[in-house]
Amino acid sequence: LSSSSAASDVYKRQVKQRLGMRVANDAEGCLQDIHWSMGGFGYFPTYTLGNIHAAQLFNSALQQPSIAQDCQRADYLSLLNWLTQNIHQHGALRDPDALVLAATGQLPVSRYHLQHLRQRYLAE
């Protein structure tokens, strides 16, 4: 067995043993995300933080009527300009909390991301 198929077999056995679930193939298992196969589980919380920040930034940008109207027409130049002015030009000069605070007027909160998830997945 190659090392990747051996790792996959171990993963499948462990998921069955620990969670009682059967993994049919690698697309459903350990190789569906590059970070899993290398053991980089710490990446997942950073995805969530990025999503929280992005939702709050997008909500703040949409408070500008011209940006909201442009986004409705799939014209994102005004949004890009807002991001450049409020985020991109500052880059790593500010920590994430300070960057979000300066751009939105409040520290990062999960409310906007949760609102997005509810609209996307629970709306009828």
Side-chain angles (χ1 to χ4, degrees):
L1 288 177
S2 71
S3 62
S4 64
S5 69
S8 178
D9 290 342
V10 169
Y11 177 85
K12 289 175 187 176
R13 282 196 306 275
Q14 290 294 317
V15 167
K16 178 67 174 162
Q17 177 185 350
R18 295 173 186 228
L19 302 175
M21 297 168 47
R22 184 180 144 295
V23 177
N25 56 56
D26 288 343
E28 297 176 1
C30 68
L31 300 178
Q32 67 178 323
D33 186 300
I34 186 65
H35 300 107
W36 290 28
S37 62
M38 65 183 227
F41 296 102
Y43 279 89
F44 297 106
T46 62
Y47 293 154
T48 302
L49 290 173
N51 290 334
I52 289 169
H53 293 168
Q56 186 167 337
L57 292 168
F58 189 54
N59 179 78
S60 187
L62 290 178
Q63 300 311 305
Q64 303 293 318
S66 61
I67 294 175
Q69 292 168 1
D70 289 347
C71 286
Q72 286 291 325
R73 294 190 317 269
D75 177 359
Y76 301 108
L77 183 59
S78 60
L79 176 61
L80 177 60
N81 290 336
W82 186 92
L83 288 168
T84 299
Q85 179 181 353
N86 292 283
I87 305 299
H88 303 156
Q89 74 172 341
H90 304 292
L93 298 175
R94 297 179 177 162
D95 68 36
D97 283 354
L99 194 62
V100 171
L101 176 61
T104 69
Q106 59 184 336
L107 288 170
V109 292
S110 61
R111 169 182 21 181
Y112 303 104
H113 182 53
L114 292 171
Q115 179 183 357
H116 164 74
L117 293 173
R118 286 185 188 106
Q119 288 173 344
R120 184 170 186 170
Y121 295 108
L122 300 178
E124 296 180 11

